[in-house]
Amino acid sequence: MKKLLLIFTLFLSTLFASENIKFGIYTSDKPSDMYKKFKTVINYLEKDLKAKGIDSKISLKIYPTYDAAIDGLAKGEYDFARFGPASYIIAKQKNENIKLLVMEINKGKKIFNGVFITHDKSGITKLEQLEGKTFAFGNSKSTIGRYLSQSELLKHGIGSEELKSYKYLGRHDKVALAVLNEDFDAGVVKEKTFKKYKNKYASKSLKMLKTFDNVTKPWVVKENMSENVYEALKASMLGLKDKKVLKVFKGDGFVETNDQEYNFVREGMNLSKRF
C-alpha cells in the first residue's frame, strides 16, 4: 500500500511539475513600457502552463543592454527571450544550441517595416540626399536600428563616410525624439515608433523617407531547456488567441519557425560591415 502511495505521489509530482521559469528582454523601448507589455503575456503563460500540468512562476528580467541579454541567454542565465532577428543570430553564434520557440505574426505576415525618418523642416525627400547629413541609429545590435538600415543605406550610396556624422542612441523612441527635435537630420525606427511619434508636437512632425522589410521577432530558448517545458511553452504561445494579450504586441499571434527564415537578416548583417 505504501509503495502504491509513493508511486502515485511521484506520478502527481511529474504531472503537476513546479517550474521556476525566467524570461528576459532588453530595452528596445522605455523599460516601464516594456514591463507593462510583457507582464500581460507572462500572466497568460503562467495560467496556460498550469492548465497543461506545469505549475510555473515566470519571472521577468529587463536587461539594460542588448549585449547583456544576448550573453545571458547564451550562458543559460535565463530560460527564454523575445529577441530581434539580429540578436537571435548573434546569440546563436555564441551558443549554437539555443533554439527557436516561435515567431510573431502581424496581420498574418512574418514581415514588418523599418522606417527611415526625417523632420518636416529638413527638406530631405530621399535617402541619396543624406550625404553630408547627421543620422541617428538605434542600438548597435539592433536589426532595424543598425544592420538592415545600414545595408539599405549602402544600396543607395550612403556609407559612414558620406554622412556628416552618426550616432547610436540605443532605443527607437530616443531616435524618434532626437529627429523630431532636430538634433539629427534623419534616423531609423520601427514603424510602430514612427506612428507613435509622428505628430507628437503640434508645431512639427516626422516624415517617412522610405520603408524596408524586416522579419518578425523570434522567441528563443536556452540550451538544454527541458523538453516538456519547451513543448508546453510552444503550445501555449501557438494557442494564444486572446486579443487583450495580443494587443500589447499589435500582432495576430505566433507561428512555428526555423533558422532559415532569418537568412536574409544574416545577409544584411554581412553587407552592413561595409558601412
Side-chain angles (χ1 to χ4, degrees):
M1 186 68 176
K2 288 182 179 180
K3 187 176 181 180
L4 287 174
L5 182 59
L6 177 60
I7 292 171
F8 184 65
T9 302
L10 289 172
F11 169 75
L12 287 179
S13 66
T14 302
L15 183 62
F16 294 97
S18 178
E19 295 280 350
N20 292 316
I21 301 173
K22 298 176 183 178
F23 175 62
I25 49 174
Y26 46 68
T27 50
S28 57
D29 292 302
K30 290 191 295 185
S32 57
D33 289 346
M34 299 193 76
Y35 179 83
K36 291 176 185 176
K37 177 189 292 188
F38 287 98
K39 191 61 179 172
T40 304
V41 73
I42 282 174
N43 290 340
Y44 159 80
L45 288 173
E46 285 182 343
K47 183 178 179 180
D48 198 66
L49 287 176
K50 188 172 183 178
K52 290 177 167 59
I54 298 176
D55 190 6
S56 62
K57 179 66 179 176
I58 303 177
S59 59
L60 170 63
K61 181 168 183 179
I62 301 176
Y63 283 80
T65 67
Y66 282 51
D67 283 331
I70 290 168
D71 287 342
L73 186 69
K75 294 175 182 176
E77 293 175 1
Y78 60 99
D79 298 288
F80 73 119
R82 185 215 197 202
F83 276 174
S87 296
Y88 158 67
I89 290 167
I90 295 168
K92 188 78 170 173
Q93 290 169 349
K94 290 176 177 287
N95 184 342
E96 64 179 12
N97 295 317
I98 67 169
K99 293 199 303 183
L100 288 164
L101 183 65
V102 292
M103 71 187 301
E104 298 173 15
I105 52 171
N106 184 17
K107 297 180 181 178
K109 298 179 180 179
K110 298 179 180 180
I111 298 293
F112 72 106
N113 289 332
V115 181
F116 288 102
I117 59 172
T118 187
H119 56 83
D120 58 1
K121 298 177 184 177
S122 71
I124 301 169
T125 59
K126 55 185 179 179
L127 296 187
E128 288 81 358
Q129 292 175 320
L130 292 176
E131 185 172 356
K133 305 296 184 181
T134 59
F135 195 92
F137 291 103
N139 192 282
S140 61
K141 295 292 191 299
S142 172
T143 313
I144 285 175
R146 178 189 178 183
Y147 295 113
L148 292 186
S149 55
Q150 290 181 356
S151 173
E152 192 69 24
L153 286 170
L154 286 167
K155 293 173 185 177
H156 289 79
I158 303 295
S160 59
E161 294 182 358
E162 281 68 47
L163 293 173
K164 179 180 180 180
S165 65
Y166 67 92
K167 190 173 182 179
Y168 295 102
L169 302 188
R171 298 195 327 236
H172 293 279
D173 59 313
K174 288 185 176 182
V175 172
L177 286 171
V179 175
L180 191 57
N181 291 325
E182 301 178 39
D183 297 327
F184 292 86
D185 297 309
V188 62
V189 296
K190 58 187 176 184
E191 189 171 22
K192 292 175 186 176
T193 304
F194 168 70
K195 290 178 179 179
K196 181 177 180 180
Y197 288 93
K198 179 183 178 182
N199 297 309
K200 184 175 177 63
Y201 304 134
S203 59
K204 49 189 174 181
S205 62
L206 293 173
K207 292 194 309 181
M208 180 187 295
L209 289 175
K210 190 179 188 301
T211 64
F212 57 94
D213 286 345
N214 182 27
V215 67
T216 54
K217 291 183 181 294
W219 290 56
V220 192
V221 304
K222 70 175 184 179
E223 178 183 13
N224 295 328
M225 173 181 272
S226 65
E227 194 64 23
N228 67 316
V229 174
Y230 176 82
E231 292 298 337
L233 265 177
K234 177 184 277 192
S236 289
M237 300 196 75
L238 293 175
L240 175 52
K241 306 299 179 186
D242 187 333
K243 292 183 179 180
K244 291 181 180 178
V245 179
L246 292 171
K247 183 180 179 181
V248 300
F249 301 109
K250 296 186 171 74
D252 305 329
F254 302 90
V255 293
E256 296 199 52
T257 185
N258 60 70
D259 186 75
Q260 287 71 38
E261 296 198 80
Y262 296 92
N263 279 343
F264 93 88
V265 177
R266 288 187 176 91
E267 293 169 3
M269 291 172 74
N270 286 331
L271 179 57
S272 74
K273 294 175 182 177
R274 293 168 38 198
F275 183 78

